[in-house]
Amino acid sequence: MSQQMTGAKMVVQALKEQGVEVVFGYPGGAVLPIYDEIFQQNEIRHILVRHEQGAAHAAEGYARATGKPGVVLVTSGPGATNAVTGITDALMDSIPLVVLSGQVPTFLIGNDAFQEADTVGITRPCTKHNWLVKDPNKLAETIHQAFHVATSGRPGPVLVDIPKDVQFATGTYLPPKKARTDHYAPRVKGDIEAITALVEMMETAERPVLYTGGGVINSGPGASQLLCELAEATGFPVTSTLMGLGAYPASGRNWIGMLGMHGTYEANMTMHDCDLMIAVGARFDDRITGRVNAFSPNSRKAHIDIDPSSINKVIRVDVPIVGDVGHVLEDLLKIWKSRGRKSNREGIESWWKRIAEWRAIDCLSFKPSKDTIKPQHALQRLEALTRDMDRYITTEVGQHQMWAAQFLGFDAPNRWMTSGGLGTMGYGLPASIGVQIAHPDALVINVAGEASWLMNMQEMGTAVQYRAPVKQFILNNERLGMVRQWQELLHGERYSHSWSEALPDFVKLAEAFGCKGIKCDHPDDLDEAIREMLAYDGPVIFDCLVEKHENCFPMIPSGNAHNQMILGEAETQGVIGQSGAVLV
Amino acid sequence: MSPLKIQQGSSKHSAYDLRDPYSEVLETHTLAVLVDNEPGVLARVIGLFSGRGYNIDSLTVAETDHQGHRSRITVVTTGTPQVIDQIKAQLGRIVPVHTVNDLTVEGPSVQRELALLKVTGKGDARIEALRLAEIFRANVVDSTLESFVFEMTGAPDKIDAFADLMRPLGLIEIARTGVAALARGV
């Protein structure tokens, strides 16, 4: 085959050779030549979204559910700027995305041309790296480099901006093998001395904890397996961030639940009182640490992370280990075994007794109701009715997201997609479509709040067009629940703009989109309604009318420490001080 | 303090000063950053400092390897030790960055800056300015009957000292390149 081809053809050729099967995108003037090439082939499937933000989130969902990079194709100007939220979301959550954007022709750049935006300038701070390609001979190599950067080291989004004249021009195609990628080679093997130092600490620790995060999942299924092996072999309790759920199975013996602001009491108390904290692919986010100077005050800390800038950024650690979680855990286990599999059995046994006392508080309990559906109850029922299915869960952002994390159990990685770092309302619906495209036969549920869901509801059109049978499980409290909760706790119950007076009829909305709508407003009808949703072969909008003023507990109020959790309504008076108020 | 006295890390003269006033002791470090000279690379480095609230006390950049298209960025920055470590780690993960060297901690280094100073005056002040310039080994690169432009190269504090002396003698304008630095020895 001739290696001379147009830029547009190179784009499609490069995507094929990178093993891309699906592209999420939206056409426009500056990408028409690429769309013309997509039209003339059948290997790469293009999913037409309804808004470029949806394309980015769908690609994120696809990436998280498969471990492969998600690919986005958008036009110049508004196409690119609309994608920025999704790109930033991917950066914050370390999701590999390759975004290809059209640009006005090179001779018009800087001219305020129609649909021109400084895309590389705008996306510079929200990508791992980006490129503006002005020479067709460099286009193929740049795209290969883009895939390399997006997927190596700490994954993240990259963007390649391609002017329209470069798409038309003819140049030489370079296959992936010949592309120069060696200049970016993050370290994956951890320092053996540091790992040995950690093993020594593990051998004597009385109150250890494994604090795991999204890095375990990003490292691949092997890393999750090694984590399980480590936890089972040592008997150490395991907690996880929002991003890391599923890396260690929720049904596992050592699981103590999610930690952080809305994590379990036992997980946060374990973190606070431990004497050895092993952070594995987690980054000490402010939702996790609470007040930094009161964070786990009496522990020695080890931190395994592939990104050197994550280490000592928030919390000073005693043993930093830069490397890929999978590689480091493998070496860690090897060294621990070769030194005789030692651990402080007695200490750990009494540690588990203390954890059991904390667990006995039953921090996730809530007041049940016979007349209104409690959101927690709705999720308990969803969990009970879907637990054994081939299930993937996405969420929007807010109270429902925290309840989903608390009440749904994940036994495998890549089954839980949520916007953690950026907290993007409107993430869940397009992400669920991306997941469903990757796994057409699986059950994909987006646990949503009605306010978040409305932010990208246009994507129901995408779901219907591609027959993606995503289930939109909307916990509808007619409120911006998390905002409302904070206004109650922090702003004297002045509920400024945190409710919607004009919500759509979701059942009619579903009909308008050409899918099924189900409404449920009584606990007695809930199981039947969920079963109906699961049985329907197509997309469903499930409008679950829930208790309007339910608060999400337990909770570490802003500016407080892990051992200052509030467990329910009775404890909420004046819990957030002035210094905490600014922390959100 | 006079606006022309540039003290490293002082808020008036650093490009960005978003320091936490309650942090620990501040340190000033000189970092040498070797980068691919590709479009936008300087914007990436500067954007990192502004985006994350770090200081830039001085910044110089030029292509130093024309064949390999490599540039050397010398940046003087101020922060707590933890912040300095973060800056180095954050710089290190920018894709076109090859190496980050902290010349302040990696052994002795030579630091030099070029300054041009315009001094106006007549009579004794003018003679005194010339005399001091000689002591500081500053060269006269432009002269009129009422003014001199002095060129001097030296460590930043030497230029500070010279500028302080010139001020009462009629210093009206100063241009500085920012620090270029190399580690001593091999």
Side-chain angles (χ1 to χ4, degrees):
Chain A
M1 193 178 77
S2 159
Q3 294 303 291
Q4 290 294 114
M5 58 181 87
T6 65
K9 204 173 178 69
M10 276 187 217
V11 170
V12 175
Q13 183 66 24
L15 293 181
K16 281 180 190 167
E17 293 204 49
Q18 287 291 340
V20 175
E21 291 165 12
V22 184
V23 172
F24 299 90
Y26 203 100
V31 279
L32 283 178
I34 298 173
Y35 270 86
D36 198 34
E37 289 297 332
I38 287 177
F39 186 84
Q40 297 175 52
Q41 55 84 48
N42 284 318
E43 282 164 71
I44 294 173
R45 190 175 175 207
H46 179 272
I47 304 294
L48 175 69
V49 294
R50 298 297 181 266
H51 184 286
E52 288 87 349
Q53 187 190 347
H57 291 323
E60 282 186 275
Y62 179 90
R64 279 187 199 192
T66 58
K68 299 200 303 188
V71 181
V72 177
L73 177 57
V74 296
T75 192
S76 64
T81 57
N82 276 346
V84 164
T85 302
I87 296 171
T88 311
D89 191 274
L91 184 76
M92 291 289 271
D93 286 345
S94 308
I95 308 301
L97 284 193
V98 176
V99 181
L100 306 172
S101 57
Q103 182 55 278
V104 300
T106 46
F107 52 85
L108 280 179
I109 289 177
N111 211 16
D112 296 332
F114 177 64
Q115 290 197 328
E116 180 186 358
D118 176 10
T119 302
V120 283
I122 289 167
T123 59
R124 199 173 285 130
C126 65
T127 50
K128 247 184 110 173
H129 196 59
N130 61 14
W131 297 261
L132 169 65
V133 184
K134 288 181 167 176
D135 176 357
N137 292 309
K138 291 200 174 138
L139 180 56
E141 181 171 36
T142 305
I143 294 174
H144 298 317
Q145 285 171 345
F147 276 87
H148 172 73
V149 171
T151 53
S152 314
R154 181 178 178 175
V158 297
L159 180 139
V160 184
D161 203 24
I162 313 169
K164 194 172 182 180
D165 54 338
V166 174
Q167 298 171 33
F168 276 126
T170 302
T172 308
Y173 179 80
L174 196 77
K177 272 182 198 156
K178 289 193 178 162
R180 191 181 70 104
T181 53
D182 56 333
H183 66 297
Y184 183 72
R187 174 180 182 164
V188 292
K189 290 293 263 184
D191 178 48
I192 292 295
E193 251 171 65
I195 296 174
T196 310
L198 172 55
V199 170
E200 280 168 18
M201 289 178 173
M202 285 164 53
E203 287 169 349
T204 56
E206 286 179 14
R207 303 185 307 280
V209 64
L210 287 159
Y211 150 48
T212 66
V216 184
I217 290 168
N218 277 337
S219 180
S224 295
Q225 236 159 32
L226 287 162
L227 173 68
C228 296
E229 195 186 325
L230 179 70
E232 304 290 329
T234 56
F236 290 2
V238 185
T239 181
S240 166
T241 67
L242 184 72
M243 297 304 298
L245 295 178
Y248 183 82
S251 58
R253 197 150 59 90
N254 300 16
W255 179 241
I256 55 172
M258 179 176 81
L259 82 161
M261 184 175 269
H262 292 290
T264 66
Y265 183 70
E266 52 268 34
N268 286 326
M269 290 303 286
T270 302
M271 288 287 280
H272 188 268
D273 284 4
C274 67
D275 71 345
L276 174 63
M277 178 187 298
I278 307 170
V280 190
R283 63 179 176 92
F284 297 92
D285 177 87
D286 56 273
R287 304 288 103 165
I288 294 301
T289 58
R291 185 149 54 89
V292 169
N293 59 12
F295 176 76
S296 193
N298 301 312
S299 61
R300 287 181 298 172
K301 300 172 185 76
H303 189 181
I304 304 167
D305 204 300
I306 198 158
D307 179 0
S309 77
S310 283
I311 287 168
N312 290 337
K313 183 171 73 176
V314 181
I315 299 291
R316 286 202 163 273
V317 296
D318 306 287
V319 183
I321 302 172
V322 176
D324 175 63
V325 167
H327 285 87
V328 174
L329 287 183
E330 195 180 353
D331 288 341
L332 184 72
L333 266 165
K334 221 181 275 172
I335 294 171
W336 181 72
K337 284 176 185 166
S338 72
R339 287 170 57 106
R341 298 167 172 262
K342 284 184 281 224
S343 67
N344 187 339
R345 295 282 164 198
E346 275 171 37
I348 293 171
E349 206 167 294
S350 57
W351 181 225
W352 274 107
K353 277 184 193 140
R354 280 182 71 190
I355 293 171
E357 283 165 29
W358 292 322
R359 193 177 265 164
I361 284 173
D362 192 14
C363 66
L364 295 181
S365 63
F366 58 96
K367 218 165 134 192
S369 165
K370 284 201 164 120
D371 313 312
T372 52
I373 302 175
K374 289 282 188 160
Q376 302 96 321
H377 175 68
L379 287 165
Q380 279 180 334
R381 293 320 302 157
L382 185 73
E383 168 76 350
L385 295 169
T386 62
R387 179 80 197 233
D388 300 327
M389 297 179 175
D390 180 17
R391 181 187 77 177
Y392 293 81
I393 301 284
T394 69
T395 76
E396 305 284 346
V397 169
Q399 284 182 322
H400 67 275
Q401 177 189 28
M402 294 297 108
W403 281 317
Q406 291 171 346
F407 288 92
L408 304 181
F410 299 93
D411 284 344
N414 306 97
R415 298 260 167 180
W416 162 251
M417 350 284 145
T418 191
S419 172
L422 195 64
T424 311
M425 292 171 73
Y427 167 86
L429 166 52
S432 70
I433 295 169
V435 176
Q436 190 82 74
I437 296 294
H439 302 288
D441 301 322
L443 170 65
V444 182
I445 304 172
N446 174 31
V447 176
E450 83 290 346
S452 280
W453 192 83
L454 287 173
M455 279 205 181
N456 269 326
M457 68 161 187
Q458 76 285 346
E459 298 305 330
M460 274 322 278
T462 311
V464 172
Q465 177 171 344
Y466 294 97
R467 297 195 183 87
V470 289
K471 314 300 182 206
Q472 305 300 315
F473 192 71
I474 302 175
L475 298 172
N476 184 352
N477 59 2
E478 301 170 12
R479 303 285 184 280
L480 310 186
M482 195 58 98
V483 173
R484 196 207 61 80
Q485 176 168 347
W486 280 83
Q487 287 172 335
E488 182 184 327
L489 298 181
L490 195 63
H491 293 279
E493 300 181 44
R494 290 180 294 279
Y495 297 120
S496 181
H497 299 272
S498 56
W499 77 96
S500 171
E501 285 185 87
L503 285 171
D505 178 329
F506 285 96
V507 174
K508 281 188 185 158
L509 190 63
E511 284 163 14
F513 274 115
C515 61
K516 186 179 177 66
I518 299 173
K519 183 172 179 170
C520 183
D521 60 2
H522 199 280
D524 293 346
D525 306 331
L526 187 57
D527 275 24
E528 195 44 47
I530 292 174
R531 282 200 189 95
E532 189 186 349
M533 171 182 87
L534 298 174
Y536 184 73
D537 183 20
V540 176
I541 300 175
F542 189 106
D543 185 15
C544 187
L545 291 162
V546 297
E547 164 66 49
K548 298 188 201 317
H549 300 119
E550 191 71 14
N551 283 334
C552 185
F553 292 113
M555 175 180 186
I556 304 175
S558 284
N560 286 38
H562 275 167
N563 61 347
Q564 295 171 308
M565 285 201 99
I566 50 173
L567 296 166
E569 299 290 351
E571 304 178 29
T572 56
Q573 292 311 311
V575 290
I576 299 173
Q578 281 250 292
S579 58
V582 298
L583 297 172
V584 184
Chain B
M1 191 192 302
S2 148
L4 282 181
K5 178 163 170 71
I6 297 174
Q7 197 181 62
Q8 285 173 345
S10 80
S11 57
K12 272 183 185 164
H13 291 286
S14 68
Y16 303 99
D17 192 342
L18 303 164
R19 287 172 297 167
D20 173 8
Y22 304 106
S23 62
E24 315 148 53
V25 183
L26 295 178
E27 294 176 357
T28 297
H29 286 235
T30 304
L31 309 179
V33 189
L34 213 57
V35 301
D36 281 328
N37 186 17
E38 60 178 40
V41 66
L42 183 61
R44 280 177 217 284
V45 171
I46 296 172
L48 178 104
F49 278 79
S50 65
R52 294 186 183 264
Y54 304 140
N55 292 297
I56 297 177
D57 296 338
S58 120
L59 179 84
T60 60
V61 52
E63 190 171 84
T64 49
D65 172 3
H66 297 304
Q67 243 117 51
H69 297 291
R70 296 278 176 90
S71 289
R72 185 179 174 104
I73 297 175
T74 309
V75 53
V76 181
T77 183
T78 304
T80 62
Q82 189 173 3
V83 166
I84 300 283
D85 283 346
Q86 259 299 298
I87 291 172
K88 288 187 268 183
Q90 293 288 353
L91 284 169
R93 68 183 199 144
I94 295 176
V95 172
V97 167
H98 287 266
T99 56
V100 180
N101 287 98
D102 186 340
L103 299 177
T104 305
V105 298
E106 289 174 16
S109 63
V110 188
Q111 311 217 358
R112 289 293 182 270
E113 189 177 359
L114 177 82
L116 297 172
L117 301 95
K118 188 177 281 178
V119 179
T120 60
K122 286 180 174 174
D124 288 349
R126 187 172 158 84
I127 294 161
E128 181 64 9
L130 260 184
R131 204 179 65 82
L132 284 168
E134 206 168 310
I135 294 169
F136 275 81
R137 297 203 186 104
N139 300 319
V140 177
V141 290
D142 177 67
S143 174
T144 69
L145 290 176
E146 287 101 38
S147 72
F148 289 120
V149 173
F150 295 112
E151 170 207 62
M152 80 174 293
T153 307
D157 54 352
K158 181 181 165 189
I159 294 170
D160 287 343
F162 185 60
D164 282 349
L165 286 172
M166 284 295 133
R167 199 157 295 115
L169 299 175
L171 178 66
I172 57 161
E173 210 176 351
I174 183 165
R176 301 175 70 150
T177 58
V179 173
L182 279 181
R184 288 180 188 269
V186 277

